[in-house]
Amino acid sequence: MSGKNLLKAIILGDSGVGKTSLMNQYVNKKFSNQYKATIGADFLTKEVMVDDKLITIQIWDTAGQERFQSLGVAFYRGADCCMLVYDVNNMKSFETLDNWRDEFLVQASPKHPESFPFIVLGNKIDLEESKRQISQKRAMAWCQSKGNIPYFETSAKEAINVEQAFQQIARNALMQEADVPEFNFPPSVSLDAEQKPDQGDCNC
Amino acid sequence: MSGLLKDNLKRKEKDNESISSNSGLSNVLLLNVNNPNPTLSITTTTITNAIVNSSSTSTIQRSNSDTISDIRGINERLMNKSTISRSSSKNLQSSKLFENFSLDNLISSDIEIENSELDSDNDLLKIYNSSIYDYDEDNMSSYNFRKKYGNEDLSSSNWVKHKKHFFILSSAGKPIYTRYGDESKLSSLMGVIQAIISYYSTDNDEISCINTSTHKIVFLLRNPLYLVCVSQTNESEEHLRLQLLYLYNQILFSLTSVQLTKIFQDRVNFDLRNLLSGTEIYMDELSRKFSVDASFMLKSIRCLRLKNDLRNTIGEIMNNYRPKNILYGILTYNDKIINIIRPKKQSVHPLDIHLILNMINSTSFRSVESWSPICLPKYNSRGFLYAYVSYLDNIESQSQSESEITSPVSPTSPSSSNSNMKITKTDICLTLLSPDKNAFYYLSNCKKKIEKIFNKSSIFKSISNQKNKTELDISDFGIPHLRHVLYKSNKHLQFVETKRLSPYDDPPSYRRLLRSYKYLDSKIHSYKKNLKFCYILGKNELSVLWIKDDFELYAAFSPFISKTIAYNDLLLIEKWFKKQDNLFITTSQVF
Ligand SMILES: Nc1nc2c(ncn2[C@@H]2O[C@H](COP(=O)(O)OP(=O)(O)O)[C@@H](O)[C@H]2O)c(=O)[nH]1
Ligand SMILES: [Mg+2]
């Protein structure tokens, strides 16, 4: 196990679109109908095999409410990829994708905003077709317009495409890493929120 | 009316001599709602009469609400409701009777009052009529309020039927929260509430409660917020106001008082729902728990029963490996506290702990470590703290290689490549509160340390070995007919209660039991003369409350046992509690 292949992923989207449920499905293969609250940020690590490589993904699910924006900065920074989630049965959650993307770019301020690896998930496709408000076509058009963002239609409830989406995000982030010129960044001076967990490194 | 009264009185005397002829008087009144016997008001007047030694029965007004409920009830009514003049001598006489009340009097007094006129104004009958307001809380899972009742509004017949509503509005009259329905559809109601409140505030007065024959409407005005409860549950005004206070604190928990004040200073008509979105679940949960969790009325902390040395070992580990610069470290097992570490100068406020527990228990699934800015209103309503919350892993080495136990395994990945380890999430949750918003990774590391030491010292195993003893069991007391016991230590502000066995294993019955406890509590505390003991007999149980300086003891017995037996049993129960050393956190872990 090497600590080197550590990816930081952020999940964003309106409250209620199923972010927590997607993570729970991905990590525990479970779904519950319980409405549970994330009022700050939830943190999760998961080890995955991507092309014979063992990767540890750190996933941050932030509540994204207005009052936590100051908290957001610390968590967005240093992200390797960002997953935008909306609910295909909820128009508003689709319309706010733009805001989520913009806000992420502002707060995380990645080196290359144009090519930063996003991924879009249209969740809750298990619900009946009549409830659906955003067609796959429309969603894909939006993704296209934002620089060909990969798009997945998922259901946290029925475990549709969940595994695939998270695999994709790991893959994209790794590709991103490969694009970076071959030198290691010197350790950052401001060690505020970026301090990665390191076994036995606790001054308590 | 008086003629009727006298007639009835005579009849009653024939029926049951003991009541009208008993001059020894009751200091304790037993209310029995068991057998239907339509002589309620007569009985009432008889007793009232007896107490004041007045011969003029006929001057006492018949009032259905004059059901004798308990000692204090009578006294109150004597002074307030009946037309007996409030001459000081009579008041003296009547209060004297209550002064020398003690547990011993319970035995000597032998009056039983039977009444059971089914009457909608009768508090107690409502308390015992269990079917009356259980409908709204049972058919829903704890997390489904919003969905289930989201589309109800003022015009839907179901909406009015809910037994306890909570409303929160801004002082500008904008809806902020409703327990049932969609608050934006209730703006007209919120407007009315605001109008009522301002009507009184123009006189520099503050409305606090409206009593109708069916409803109690309680107000809590905390500018810029108004909180209102509309209840048919017969809980006392004080209890309902306390519940409003919890809801208010829950809002501060998310916003701080500083933010709240500032927002409304800048914009009086601000729609606070924008800022509170996502936290409604906490208020829904609180509203629900008020009726099923005794911690709120007791304003004290529910403890896990644990051997003292084990509890102390756990506390010492937490303390030794605690992160720098934290306020509290709290270890919980479901809704119970195992131990708390804190700075020497800071105390722990039960009201804050309840909010923290509410957050932990309605938080996302257990594999996550969560990080939330929160405000503890009792500790400091003005600033945020950051709460790190994580359930702990039990790490078992499955093979013989025990030395490998320290190998670095990411605890959040149960599918770890290291096949020697079996990692399972426990129900034990660690919460650390820090003032530093960037401390997440640091606290996460400290948690791993503590988790490791817990595993090394087999703490989880020790706790689970005690599993069947971590809850009080009614059989521990060896007292037949005893059904439920709740014991609060006033010194520690902690309490324990027995496992909810039959007949309290279903929510409606348990809620009913809690209501009777609340009733006893409100009566005993609102009685000015330092009352120590109180009980009610209902068709379901005999519930008692005994208060001493250092404890409050609530208990429920079978309704068929005599109070003499119950009294003796209480003494035994108290003795039993005095001998225990595994119920409460008695050694505080301070740093
Ligand atoms: N039918 C359906 N419901 C879902 C799905 N994902 C989430 N939900 C439900 O949507 C609600 C909100 O989900 P949650 O994960 O808490 O959303 P979050 O606020 O984005 O974290 C919950 O009641 C979930 O059970 C899905 O794929 N299908
Ligand atoms: Mg969530």
Side-chain angles (χ1 to χ4, degrees):
Chain A
M1 251 203 308
S2 104
K4 247 180 123 187
N5 291 323
L6 195 80
L7 296 179
K8 179 168 171 177
I10 312 287
I11 301 192
L12 293 176
D14 281 3
S15 145
V17 297
K19 300 183 295 297
T20 303
S21 305
L22 285 164
M23 298 212 310
N24 197 10
Q25 181 56 255
Y26 178 53
V27 175
N28 295 324
K29 310 267 176 288
K30 274 188 199 144
F31 176 79
S32 87
N33 255 316
Q34 292 181 336
Y35 184 95
K36 296 202 167 192
T38 312
I39 58 158
D42 285 345
F43 177 77
L44 190 68
T45 61
K46 163 117 173 138
E47 284 165 3
V48 273
M49 292 298 290
V50 180
D51 306 331
D52 296 335
K53 242 175 149 185
L54 187 67
I55 311 278
T56 305
I57 316 187
Q58 295 185 332
I59 307 168
W60 278 103
D61 169 14
T62 63
Q65 285 111 349
E66 275 181 57
R67 66 182 181 288
F68 297 122
Q69 275 181 1
S70 66
L71 197 64
V73 188
F75 293 114
Y76 295 177
R77 215 184 292 139
D80 298 296
C81 53
C82 176
M83 185 182 257
L84 301 171
V85 188
Y86 77 96
D87 173 353
V88 296
N89 313 290
N90 179 336
M91 181 59 81
K92 194 177 151 275
S93 73
F94 177 70
E95 289 166 351
T96 47
L97 283 186
D98 257 320
N99 298 346
W100 287 115
R101 183 176 168 276
D102 293 347
E103 190 187 307
F104 174 81
L105 289 175
V106 169
Q107 299 215 23
S109 44
K111 276 254 147 60
H112 307 287
E114 337 65 58
S115 63
F116 186 86
F118 283 99
I119 173 173
V120 173
L121 308 193
N123 190 38
K124 304 198 192 180
I125 56 159
D126 56 281
L127 294 174
E128 61 237 63
E129 194 55 37
S130 59
K131 286 195 175 167
R132 184 148 181 165
Q133 295 191 1
I134 296 96
S135 68
Q136 183 167 13
K137 209 172 141 201
R138 182 163 172 200
M140 287 176 99
W142 186 85
C143 291
Q144 198 102 50
S145 74
K146 299 292 171 188
N148 255 328
I149 303 178
Y151 176 66
F152 285 84
E153 303 224 315
T154 59
S155 163
K157 187 174 180 183
E158 312 279 340
I160 301 170
N161 265 341
V162 178
E163 190 79 35
Q164 288 87 332
F166 279 90
Q167 276 278 329
Q168 179 74 30
I169 215 163
R171 214 175 291 263
N172 279 23
L174 280 176
M175 267 155 58
Q176 179 77 357
E177 208 177 44
D179 282 350
V180 171
E182 272 303 318
F183 67 84
N184 283 325
F185 288 102
S188 154
V189 186
S190 67
L191 286 172
D192 46 3
E194 286 190 282
Q195 205 180 0
K196 299 286 191 322
D198 188 357
Q199 205 73 34
D201 183 20
C202 168
N203 304 326
C204 40
Chain B
M1 149 97 87
S2 63
L4 180 72
L5 265 176
K6 275 179 182 155
D7 276 0
N8 278 338
L9 190 54
K10 272 195 205 124
R11 219 177 57 214
K12 179 71 189 170
E13 274 169 7
K14 260 188 261 155
D15 285 355
N16 184 351
E17 279 203 338
S18 73
I19 287 191
S20 51
S21 62
N22 190 324
S23 52
L25 265 191
S26 66
N27 290 344
V28 172
L29 298 168
L30 223 56
L31 176 71
N32 191 336
V33 282
N34 242 341
N35 47 346
N37 185 345
T39 52
L40 160 72
S41 58
I42 304 311
T43 315
T44 312
T45 41
T46 312
I47 295 299
T48 313
N49 210 11
I51 287 173
V52 296
N53 293 333
S54 154
S55 56
S56 54
T57 0
S58 52
T59 59
I60 298 172
Q61 267 184 351
R62 179 189 164 139
S63 154
N64 282 335
S65 58
D66 273 354
T67 313
I68 293 178
S69 45
D70 66 317
I71 309 145
R72 204 234 156 191
I74 301 168
N75 200 25
E76 200 173 47
R77 277 160 194 135
L78 273 177
M79 310 229 197
N80 300 334
K81 288 204 177 168
S82 70
T83 54
I84 297 172
S85 72
R86 295 158 146 221
S87 80
S88 50
S89 65
K90 275 181 186 164
N91 269 347
L92 255 182
Q93 238 173 343
S94 58
S95 19
K96 225 196 271 163
L97 282 164
F98 300 105
E99 249 167 38
N100 54 19
F101 175 79
S102 76
L103 193 55
D104 301 321
N105 290 351
L106 167 63
I107 295 178
S108 59
S109 75
D110 232 336
I111 289 194
E112 297 199 8
I113 294 149
E114 298 169 340
N115 75 52
S116 52
E117 188 175 60
L118 282 169
D119 183 302
S120 62
D121 275 349
N122 184 332
D123 286 6
L124 270 170
L125 286 179
K126 269 194 192 164
I127 286 185
Y128 282 103
N129 189 348
S130 60
S131 68
I132 200 162
Y133 51 91
D134 292 331
Y135 118 90
D136 48 352
E137 289 165 44
D138 284 335
N139 340 327
M140 61 169 90
S141 91
S142 36
Y143 290 99
N144 276 346
F145 300 107
R146 304 260 123 210
K147 280 188 194 154
K148 193 145 189 175
Y149 298 105
N151 43 18
E152 289 180 9
D153 60 31
L154 279 171
S155 59
S156 50
S157 59
N158 276 339
W159 189 84
V160 240
K161 281 193 205 141
H162 294 298
K163 296 304 169 187
K164 189 154 68 184
H165 284 274
F166 288 108
F167 305 109
I168 305 178
L169 55 152
S170 72
S171 45
K174 282 217 176 174
I176 292 171
Y177 171 78
T178 175
R179 182 181 182 191
Y180 300 110
D182 175 352
E183 57 280 336
S184 53
K185 291 192 195 136
L186 299 178
S187 13
S188 58
L189 175 72
M190 301 288 185
V192 172
I193 296 177
Q194 191 217 1
I196 295 175
I197 293 170
S198 22
Y199 178 80
Y200 289 93
S201 58
T202 47
D203 294 340
N204 264 335
D205 203 351
E206 217 180 85
I207 185 165
S208 62
C209 183
I210 299 174
N211 283 297
T212 76
S213 57
T214 50
H215 290 72
K216 198 170 264 147
I217 307 171
V218 181
F219 299 81
L220 179 71
L221 311 186
R222 287 274 196 283
N223 259 315
L225 301 185
Y226 295 156
L227 299 95
V228 182
C229 172
V230 179
S231 155
Q232 305 176 61
T233 60
N234 287 292
E235 287 165 282
S236 71
E237 184 186 335
E238 288 69 30
H239 282 134
L240 295 173
R241 183 159 296 113
L242 177 65
Q243 294 170 11
L244 289 175
L245 181 66
Y246 274 111
L247 289 175
Y248 176 69
N249 283 348
Q250 182 67 62
I251 290 189
L252 295 183
F253 183 85
S254 312
L255 292 180
T256 72
S257 61
V258 179
Q259 268 202 37
L260 186 66
T261 322
K262 189 170 177 310
I263 289 161
F264 283 100
Q265 256 166 15
D266 294 350
R267 278 172 61 190
V268 189
N269 60 353
F270 186 79
D271 187 347
L272 198 63
R273 286 178 304 163
N274 295 334
L275 283 181
L276 290 175
S277 73
T279 66
E280 298 92 344
I281 178 86
Y282 293 154
M283 307 216 250
D284 292 342
E285 273 297 277
L286 276 185
S287 310
R288 188 184 65 87
K289 283 181 195 155
F290 292 147
S291 349
V292 291
D293 185 344
S295 349
F296 298 96
M297 69 173 263
L298 294 171
K299 291 187 265 186
S300 53
I301 295 168
R302 189 190 290 274
C303 279
L304 183 75
R305 185 185 183 194
L306 210 58
K307 278 205 183 103
N308 228 358
D309 43 354
L310 179 56
R311 197 195 301 279
N312 288 338
T313 311
I314 291 171
E316 279 156 22
I317 294 173
M318 289 167 69
N319 207 348
N320 290 340
Y321 294 90
R322 72 171 189 277
K324 285 175 293 199
N325 195 22
I326 57 164
L327 177 64
Y328 306 134
I330 304 166
L331 197 70
T332 52
Y333 176 88
N334 294 332
D335 59 345
K336 302 187 185 72
I337 303 283
I338 296 175
N339 215 333
I340 297 181
I341 57 169
R342 62 179 170 86
K344 200 179 277 163
K345 284 189 211 121
Q346 299 298 343
S347 53
V348 174
H349 308 274
L351 270 65
D352 285 342
I353 299 292
H354 294 158
L355 296 182
I356 293 173
L357 281 173
N358 192 35
M359 172 181 72
I360 296 173
N361 291 324
S362 29
T363 221
S364 314
F365 59 101
R366 292 185 173 187
S367 327
V368 301
E369 299 164 73
S370 75
W371 183 242
S372 317
I374 61 167
C375 161
L376 298 180
K378 279 284 173 183
Y379 163 69
N380 180 350
S381 72
R382 303 181 54 81
F384 271 126
L385 289 162
Y386 296 86
Y388 171 86
V389 179
S390 172
Y391 281 87
L392 300 182
D393 285 322
N394 183 25
I395 305 168
E396 271 170 312
S397 88
Q398 291 184 310
S399 68
Q400 313 82 337
S401 54
E402 295 227 71
S403 55
E404 286 296 303
I405 237 169
T406 53
S407 78
V409 173
S410 171
T412 41
S413 51
S415 55
S416 162
S417 53
N418 193 332
S419 53
N420 290 339
M421 297 298 167
K422 185 174 165 241
I423 300 173
T424 42
K425 274 277 168 234
T426 63
D427 290 323
I428 293 162
C429 179
L430 179 69
T431 302
L432 302 167
L433 295 169
S434 160
D436 177 5
K437 79 171 176 187
N438 293 318
F440 176 84
Y441 291 111
Y442 170 59
L443 297 187
S444 179
N445 277 340
C446 291
K447 180 216 63 177
K448 279 179 198 149
K449 260 256 166 78
I450 292 173
E451 189 175 65
K452 203 155 86 185
I453 308 292
F454 277 175
N455 274 300
K456 260 190 193 157
S457 336
S458 310
I459 296 291
F460 300 127
K461 205 177 272 164
S462 312
I463 293 178
S464 63
N465 282 346
Q466 292 204 12
K467 206 144 234 167
N468 39 10
K469 286 175 236 142
T470 51
E471 270 190 293
L472 270 195
D473 200 305
I474 205 74
S475 61
D476 294 341
F477 299 95
I479 295 175
H481 312 298
L482 181 64
R483 292 175 173 181
H484 184 260
V485 173
L486 188 159
Y487 181 86
K488 168 183 170 183
S489 155
N490 287 334
K491 180 175 164 217
H492 298 110
L493 291 180
Q494 296 165 27
F495 78 99
V496 285
E497 72 177 308
T498 51
K499 224 187 292 179
R500 293 175 194 181
L501 300 173
S502 166
Y504 304 119
D505 47 356
D506 65 319
S509 327
Y510 185 74
R511 276 203 297 275
R512 190 197 61 237
L513 177 70
L514 261 198
R515 287 197 298 271
S516 74
Y517 285 173
K518 280 182 194 169
Y519 190 79
L520 291 169
D521 171 79
S522 69
K523 287 303 169 189
I524 215 163
H525 281 112
S526 54
Y527 184 67
K528 290 163 199 71
K529 281 280 169 351
N530 207 8
L531 197 58
K532 293 293 178 207
F533 185 87
C534 210
Y535 67 104
I536 5 173
L537 176 64
K539 69 170 187 281
N540 296 293
E541 65 261 316
L542 164 69
S543 14
V544 300
L545 165 58
W546 178 21
I547 293 190
K548 271 190 144 179
D549 289 341
D550 52 340
F551 68 82
E552 290 177 15
L553 174 57
Y554 295 80
F557 295 90
S558 146
F560 302 112
I561 67 153
S562 81
K563 56 204 166 300
T564 319
I565 294 176
Y567 163 72
N568 284 324
D569 288 346
L570 278 178
L571 296 178
L572 292 176
I573 296 170
E574 194 228 346
K575 258 197 207 124
W576 187 91
F577 274 110
K578 286 274 135 72
K579 274 191 289 196
Q580 305 307 309
D581 65 346
N582 59 358
L583 301 175
F584 301 121
I585 308 167
T586 47
T587 321
S588 26
Q589 289 291 341
V590 294
F591 49 85

